[in-house]
Amino acid sequence: MKANEMFRESVENKEQYWAEQAKEIQWFEFPKTILEEDQNGYHQWFTDGKLNMSYLCIDKHIEDGYGDQVAVVYDSPVTGKQEKYTYNQLKEQVSKLAGGLKSLGLEKGDTAVIYMPMIPQTLFAMLACARIGAIHNVVF
């Protein structure tokens, strides 16, 4: 399917199109409701589905056999520092940070503000929040 056809289909047949796209993601619970409106008339997508973005960004790739492949490349134009992290290394960093956040009392549904420069550890912090179900706001 070409991009223009995909776009047209996504607009003309929203629910059917996005239900098909949702099948391409590994859900913990596949949504029964694809699209609905909330009490204020705003569209809500996949409201009864359950997934975890940290899992999809890291663990899924490890399970698929890509654990030793590079997942993150950091190349700072300011410091000239370059670093690479495999999916296995990324999972280790994110898991340690998630454990640390939980030990500080951060729980699913809580909000964390991440005030860090654009370094790999900022990404680790965002993924750690997602891993435990916390909402994160990032300030660079």
Side-chain angles (χ1 to χ4, degrees):
M1 188 179 276
K2 294 190 174 23
N4 287 337
E5 293 170 15
M6 290 175 72
F7 175 75
R8 186 176 61 250
E9 186 70 18
S10 74
V11 172
E12 292 174 2
N13 300 304
K14 285 183 186 79
E15 288 189 58
Q16 179 182 348
Y17 178 82
W18 290 109
E20 287 300 315
Q21 298 308 307
K23 292 177 185 174
E24 300 298 318
I25 301 173
Q26 188 168 340
W27 295 79
F28 292 140
E29 290 182 29
F30 192 83
K32 294 178 184 80
T33 305
I34 304 303
L35 177 63
E36 65 183 356
E37 285 188 9
D38 68 9
Q39 66 274 16
N40 298 312
Y42 291 103
H43 287 112
Q44 303 292 313
W45 292 91
F46 313 116
T47 53
D48 56 350
K50 291 188 181 178
L51 53 75
N52 184 287
M53 292 308 296
S54 184
Y55 170 83
L56 291 172
C57 289
I58 305 169
D59 305 67
K60 175 78 170 80
H61 296 292
I62 293 170
E63 291 171 7
D64 289 345
Y66 301 109
D68 293 327
Q69 288 191 6
V70 174
V72 176
V73 176
Y74 174 67
D75 187 356
S76 173
V78 176
T79 64
K81 187 174 186 176
Q82 297 179 340
E83 296 175 346
K84 293 181 181 179
Y85 297 87
T86 66
Y87 285 102
N88 288 326
Q89 292 169 321
L90 179 59
K91 182 178 181 180
E92 181 178 352
Q93 295 294 317
V94 169
S95 296
K96 284 181 183 178
L97 187 50
L101 292 172
K102 285 187 82 163
S103 74
L104 293 171
L106 193 69
E107 298 176 353
K108 181 178 180 175
D110 289 347
T111 301
V113 175
I114 301 170
Y115 186 71
M116 297 172 68
M118 293 182 66
I119 57 176
Q121 290 73 20
T122 306
L123 172 63
F124 303 162
M126 291 187 292
L127 289 167
C129 287
R131 184 163 289 263
I132 61 177
I135 301 160
H136 64 272
N137 294 312
V138 181
V139 180
F140 292 108

